Amino acid sequence: MLAPDRRLPIYLRIQDALAAEIAAGKWRPGEAIPAEEALAKRFGAAVGTARKAIEGLVAQGRLERHQGRGTFVRRADFGNMLFRFFRHTGADGAPLRPTAKLLARRKSKADAATARRLALPVGTATIELFRLRLIEGAPMLAEEIVVPHRRFAPLLALAKDAFGDLLYPLYETACGQIVVQAREHLRFGQAPPHIAKALCLPPKAPVAIVERTVFAVDGQPLEFRVSYGAAERFSYTIDIK
């Protein structure tokens, strides 16, 4: 259904209607939406108008086009993005695939800082995860993760071996929560005692700290995580033109 505000151009009203349907799960990540012709007929608009609405959703990162195949709901892939900062390669120079090990999980309550980051009232039930990311069995990153209990309650009942190397696919399959966007903040500091121990580092060793908040299609924060890695292993490359 189109927004009733006729002051908006029809392509924006179509764009808003499709965005709402994506948020409601009408099409899952990786699933194709109807062709432009079908959408134009449905909304009583020109094909060019439907195309402009789709282009707006592509620009927002909600949809992606595949030449010759159609337009699909975008599936976010942030799982290994941290390893652009902590690269590790084998003898042949090829990147090594990180694995993950869940060390602890517990139900908790959001303190003021967590509540602010997850847009929750203070004291709201949350789930905390603590895990390691490893390269060839050696710890590379330690991660502290917190998610709202209301959205992620099934995580407490899962067997530890059900937690794979990537959490976001698990969020989708086990909890029906789809990650579409992430925001990161990078800083440096000293490793807290439990982080130094997990990473086999000396007490107060310098670490790179990456804070990440991820969001659902509706814009609500789904997860806040803090990842720690040895500063001496940190690497960042960017091309400036």
Side-chain angles (χ1 to χ4, degrees):
M1 181 180 296
L2 291 179
D5 189 349
R6 295 184 177 274
R7 293 173 298 177
L8 292 175
I10 189 169
Y11 82 91
L12 284 179
R13 294 161 63 199
I14 294 173
Q15 182 175 303
D16 289 346
L18 293 175
E21 290 177 342
I22 293 170
K26 182 171 183 177
W27 303 288
R28 305 296 289 177
E31 184 177 350
I33 67 169
E36 293 169 356
E37 293 79 5
L39 291 173
K41 182 177 180 180
R42 173 189 165 190
F43 290 111
V47 172
T49 302
R51 181 177 301 120
K52 190 172 183 180
I54 291 172
E55 288 171 349
L57 293 171
V58 170
Q60 292 176 13
R62 297 174 186 259
L63 297 175
E64 58 186 359
R65 292 186 183 274
H66 293 280
Q67 188 67 32
R69 294 177 53 207
T71 304
F72 296 77
V73 177
R74 183 174 177 268
R75 183 183 296 277
D77 181 16
F78 305 115
N80 285 327
M81 287 295 287
L82 286 171
F83 285 86
R84 71 193 187 278
F85 297 137
F86 300 92
R87 295 178 181 173
H88 198 87
T89 58
D92 60 357
L96 295 174
R97 179 182 175 84
T99 59
K101 181 180 180 181
L102 181 66
L103 299 181
R105 62 179 157 176
R106 68 185 183 115
K107 187 176 179 181
S108 186
K109 293 183 179 180
D111 59 18
T114 299
R116 183 178 67 254
R117 287 157 175 156
L118 291 178
L120 300 171
V122 173
T124 300
T126 59
I127 298 172
E128 296 179 1
L129 307 175
F130 183 48
R131 70 174 193 160
L132 281 180
R133 306 296 298 279
L134 306 106
I135 296 288
E136 294 186 322
M140 178 70 70
L141 294 176
E143 297 183 321
E144 298 178 319
I145 300 163
V146 59
V147 295
H149 177 269
R150 179 179 63 85
R151 290 179 180 253
F152 293 93
L155 296 182
L156 290 175
L158 288 178
K160 274 194 174 184
D161 57 11
F163 288 78
D165 295 335
L166 301 178
L167 285 180
Y168 299 157
L170 180 67
Y171 290 174
E172 182 179 339
T173 58
C175 307
Q177 302 299 323
I178 301 170
V179 172
V180 300
Q181 186 179 355
R183 179 187 302 135
E184 289 185 343
H185 174 70
L186 172 66
R187 59 188 175 89
F188 291 86
Q190 293 181 336
H194 68 293
I195 296 296
K197 181 178 179 180
L199 293 175
C200 302
L201 297 174
K204 297 184 179 180
V207 288
I209 304 168
V210 183
E211 298 177 344
R212 174 190 290 180
T213 305
V214 300
F215 301 87
V217 175
D218 61 5
Q220 290 299 304
L222 287 180
E223 173 204 86
F224 179 71
R225 91 170 54 184
V226 183
S227 301
Y228 302 84
E232 64 182 15
R233 297 173 184 164
F234 179 84
S235 174
Y236 180 59
T237 301
I238 185 172
D239 292 326
I240 301 174
K241 297 180 181 180

